[in-house]
Amino acid sequence: MAAEKPVRYVGQAGPDTTLQAASAAVVVPSNTEELPYWTTALYVGDAGTVNLVLRDDVDPVLFNVPAGAILPFYVKQVLSTDTSCTNIVAL
């Protein structure tokens, strides 16, 4: 089993705090390459469908994601298959 990649965030999730990104990177969807780090969220610039692989290897396909959406998931990969959203940024 591969070593776990760190989750990059500042602060702690809780009822009185917000989770903030400590980094940002342009996402190029790929069926073979994982993201350089697990995200705390994804920003979706243009509407469509996004196919994710989450930290626990669950791979949901999210339909009808609106432009400007922030998806609050620990994502380790954005798959190119079935992903039509563009201008995705890992936070």
Side-chain angles (χ1 to χ4, degrees):
M1 185 166 100
E4 290 190 8
K5 293 182 183 179
V7 175
R8 295 184 181 184
Y9 64 90
V10 176
Q12 297 178 344
D16 298 323
T17 62
T18 58
L19 198 58
Q20 298 177 2
S23 190
V26 173
V27 173
V28 177
S30 171
N31 289 335
T32 57
E33 297 294 320
E34 290 187 359
L35 299 173
Y37 59 89
W38 291 346
T39 69
T40 54
L42 290 178
Y43 168 80
V44 177
D46 295 317
T49 299
V50 63
N51 189 358
L52 309 173
V53 178
L54 304 181
R55 178 173 66 178
D56 57 0
D57 291 322
V58 173
D59 57 345
V61 177
L62 305 176
F63 298 94
N64 301 315
V65 177
I70 295 181
L71 306 175
F73 297 108
Y74 291 117
V75 177
K76 66 179 185 178
Q77 188 173 4
V78 177
L79 300 173
S80 56
T81 301
D82 296 329
T83 295
S84 61
C85 290
T86 56
N87 297 315
I88 302 170
V89 178
L91 302 172

